[in-house]
Structure formats: structure tokens, C-alpha cells
Amino acid sequence: MNSKLQQAIFSVSLFLSACLVGLYSTTSLNAADKKPPKSKPGWKSLKGADYKVYKTTEEGDLHLNIFKPSDWKQGDSRPVIVFFFGGGWTGGNPSQFEPHCQHLASRGMVACAAEYRIKSKHKTTPFECVADGKSAVRWIRQHAKDLGIDPNRIVSGGGSAGGHVAACTGTVVGFEEPKEDQQISSVPNAMALFNPVVDTTETGWKGGPKQLGKRCKEISPIHFVRNNLPPTIIFHGTADKAVPIENVERFTKQMKAKQNRCELVAYEDQGHGFFNLKKSKKNYDSTVEKLDAFLTSLEYLDPQK
């Protein structure tokens, strides 16, 4: 084979290799382009609950886990409670209040465990947490007919930071989503708070000013105490180092001074999160029993037989 022919064959081979490399590169780029975008932070629905979107945000959809009584039917007008989990506005999971929801559903209430935006999942601040709490109460009231609930018997509950969110729905003014129907109130008819943060300023929980800065008073429930607030029950441990009991004692005193019903149930020598079933069945049973009595006094539950 002469040198000219060899050179021609070599040139053709180089050309074909270049074409194949280009085709492979184009295919790879196209495949990369077609890869689905990373999904936004998700949550898992709780077993036995209806899973409904109550709010769509830039950070993703937010759901309610809705537990219904076994004899629930369309057209009912039952009381309803919505729980917000604890976690310092940073972490946590709706499953925290799953046992409470199951219990109250067995007692005849519709019970919800809410998702809301948190820093670890959504890179948000406590101000978004409060806005989401208000949205949840408003959505429940707006969909009363579909949920078979009484729009005038809505309880907002929660623990720690979730207790703060719940307390804010009943006290704090503002943080209403502008696109929602403002004619539908975001204020609950009662509150059930478990070692809640009620003072986010220098006089209360020290983490408030650190996280909220100069805006710490804007979502501080104790600074919005006034007449005609929802009847409230608070469960708190006397040995709570995360949220000192002095905070809720002061809140309770101010609530009563404004002629609001506010019951503080103190648990001697108990620390933060004492009420959780996973931490203490004894304390869980005790707090649930007292919550039952409170809701019965409001005629939200029938007396225990």
C-alpha cells in the first residue's frame, strides 16, 4: 500500500472518530438537559390520614395530615384541631402530634398535623412559620364544608416552636398572606400549647433576639395580649431550661388580666418536651386527659363515659 493511500485512510479514520465523539458529546449534553430538576423538599404523609395541600409556596407545597373519626360523614359539623410540631423553627416533623391526632379523632374531632416551612428544609425564617400557621387555620375554616367541621370550633395547638406558631395564630397581628381571602379569619377559636415560646424578646426566650434581631417583638405573642383572645390551655414543665416556665406564667397572668381564659398546667421537675409520647407515656396520658377536659368544657368534646 503506497503512502498516499495510507494517509487518505488515516484522514478518513480521524474524521469518523471526530464525528462519533461529537455525537456522543451531543447525546450526553441532551441527556443532561433532560434530567429532571432536583425536587423541592418533601414530606411523607402520615398513615391513616388524608393528605391535602393547604398552601403552595416558592419552597414547595405544604400539606395537612387530616385524621377523621371513624363515623365521620360529609355534612358533619365537628370541632377540629390543627397541631404544629416543634423544632426551633429549624427542624421537626408533623409525626410529633400523630398520637394526639389519633386520640382526638377517636373522641370525635377532626384532627390535623400540619407541615410548615422550616429552616433546614426550606431555608426560611420564623416569620414564614407564623404566616404558614395563619394560612393553615384560614384554609381549614375556608374548607369547613368539605372537611365536615364547624368553622367556629377550630383549635390551634403545638409544642415549643410549634406552640409559638399556634400561639401566634391567636394573638399576633399581621403576617397574613396577601393572596388569601382576608375575609376568612385566620384566628382559631381556642389554643392548646405545649411548652410554647410566648416571648421572643430580651425578656423571654433568649433565642428569640438572636434569630429575629430587631424584629423579635413582631411575632412575640405576649406583646399582643388583649381582650377577647381565644381560650387557652398551656402545659409546661417547671424544670424546662429551653423555655423557662416564667415566660408562660407571665403570659397567663397577662391573659387573665385582660379577662381571657388561660389555664397553665405545670408539671413539677419536668423538662422541655416532657409531654411527648416517645419521651413519657405517663406525661402524655396526663396531658391528653387534661386537654380532653379543657375541650369538653368548651363543648368541643362529649364528656368521657
Side-chain angles (χ1 to χ4, degrees), residues 198-199 203-204 222 236 243-252:
V198 293
D199 185 350
T203 60
I222 200 168
H236 215 99
V243 183
I245 193 169
E246 181 277 332
N247 287 208
V248 292
E249 289 174 338
R250 187 158 35 93
F251 179 81
T252 301

Side-chain angles (χ1 to χ4, degrees), residues 24-99:
Y24 175 79
S25 300
T26 302
T27 303
S28 298
L29 287 172
N30 287 341
D33 289 342
K34 290 179 181 179
K35 281 183 180 179
K38 289 184 178 180
S39 59
K40 292 179 179 177
W43 303 83
K44 290 183 179 179
S45 60
L46 300 181
K47 187 177 180 180
D50 293 341
Y51 198 51
K52 301 286 187 182
V53 175
Y54 76 87
K55 186 175 185 177
T56 297
T57 74
E58 291 182 359
E59 295 79 20
D61 288 342
L62 301 175
H63 300 76
L64 292 176
N65 294 273
I66 305 168
F67 294 82
K68 296 175 180 176
S70 58
D71 59 347
W72 178 94
K73 61 184 182 299
Q74 197 76 43
D76 282 353
S77 184
R78 296 175 183 262
V80 60
I81 189 166
V82 54
F83 286 106
F84 302 97
F85 59 86
W89 304 313
T90 297
N93 193 289
S95 64
Q96 178 185 16
F97 282 97
E98 185 175 359

Side-chain angles (χ1 to χ4, degrees), residues 7-305:
Q7 188 175 359
I9 292 172
F10 181 71
S11 298
V12 171
S13 299
L14 283 177
F15 175 76
L16 290 173
S17 296
C19 289
L20 287 172
V21 169
L23 179 61
Y24 175 79
S25 300
T26 302
T27 303
S28 298
L29 287 172
N30 287 341
D33 289 342
K34 290 179 181 179
K35 281 183 180 179
K38 289 184 178 180
S39 59
K40 292 179 179 177
W43 303 83
K44 290 183 179 179
S45 60
L46 300 181
K47 187 177 180 180
D50 293 341
Y51 198 51
K52 301 286 187 182
V53 175
Y54 76 87
K55 186 175 185 177
T56 297
T57 74
E58 291 182 359
E59 295 79 20
D61 288 342
L62 301 175
H63 300 76
L64 292 176
N65 294 273
I66 305 168
F67 294 82
K68 296 175 180 176
S70 58
D71 59 347
W72 178 94
K73 61 184 182 299
Q74 197 76 43
D76 282 353
S77 184
R78 296 175 183 262
V80 60
I81 189 166
V82 54
F83 286 106
F84 302 97
F85 59 86
W89 304 313
T90 297
N93 193 289
S95 64
Q96 178 185 16
F97 282 97
E98 185 175 359
H100 296 78
C101 287
Q102 291 174 337
H103 167 76
L104 290 171
S106 75
R107 291 278 283 118
M109 289 185 78
V110 173
C112 309
E115 301 171 352
Y116 64 93
R117 287 173 288 178
I118 53 177
K119 186 177 181 180
S120 63
K121 275 183 175 290
H122 307 98
K123 312 303 179 189
T124 47
T125 73
F127 300 107
E128 283 79 28
C129 300
V130 173
D132 292 344
K134 287 173 173 274
S135 295
V137 174
R138 175 175 285 116
W139 187 91
I140 289 170
R141 183 168 278 124
Q142 185 175 10
H143 294 83
K145 186 176 180 181
D146 294 332
L147 295 172
I149 62 101
D150 182 348
N152 297 311
R153 289 192 294 170
I154 300 175
V155 184
S156 188
S160 192
H164 168 261
V165 172
C168 285
T169 64
T171 59
V172 169
V173 177
F175 298 93
E176 312 284 353
E177 296 289 8
K179 293 183 180 179
E180 294 176 358
D181 186 352
Q182 305 298 311
Q183 299 300 311
I184 300 173
S185 175
S186 65
V187 178
N189 304 98
M191 297 188 291
L193 312 176
F194 297 80
N195 50 238
V197 176
V198 293
D199 185 350
T200 54
T201 70
E202 293 81 0
T203 60
W205 179 60
K206 304 308 178 186
K210 290 180 181 178
Q211 293 197 49
L212 305 174
K214 294 181 180 179
R215 299 184 62 191
C216 61
K217 192 179 288 188
E218 292 182 28
I219 53 173
S220 182
I222 200 168
H223 290 85
F224 290 86
V225 173
R226 56 196 183 278
N227 298 109
N228 300 314
L229 291 182
T232 302
I233 189 167
I234 302 173
F235 302 96
H236 215 99
T238 63
D240 194 328
K241 294 180 180 179
V243 183
I245 193 169
E246 181 277 332
N247 287 208
V248 292
E249 289 174 338
R250 187 158 35 93
F251 179 81
T252 301
K253 184 177 180 180
Q254 292 187 26
M255 285 281 281
K256 289 181 176 179
K258 293 294 184 180
Q259 288 77 53
N260 297 304
R261 177 179 174 182
C262 188
E263 300 175 23
L264 172 58
V265 185
Y267 281 75
E268 198 67 29
D269 299 324
Q270 297 302 308
H272 200 65
F274 73 97
F275 64 90
N276 287 295
L277 177 58
K278 290 182 178 179
K279 189 169 270 193
S280 169
K281 187 176 187 304
K282 179 182 177 181
N283 287 336
Y284 167 79
D285 288 341
S286 175
T287 52
V288 165
E289 181 182 353
K290 290 176 173 60
L291 176 59
D292 263 31
F294 173 71
L295 295 173
T296 300
S297 73
L298 296 176
E299 299 185 349
Y300 287 17
L301 292 179
D302 293 329
Q304 291 271 26
K305 295 179 181 180

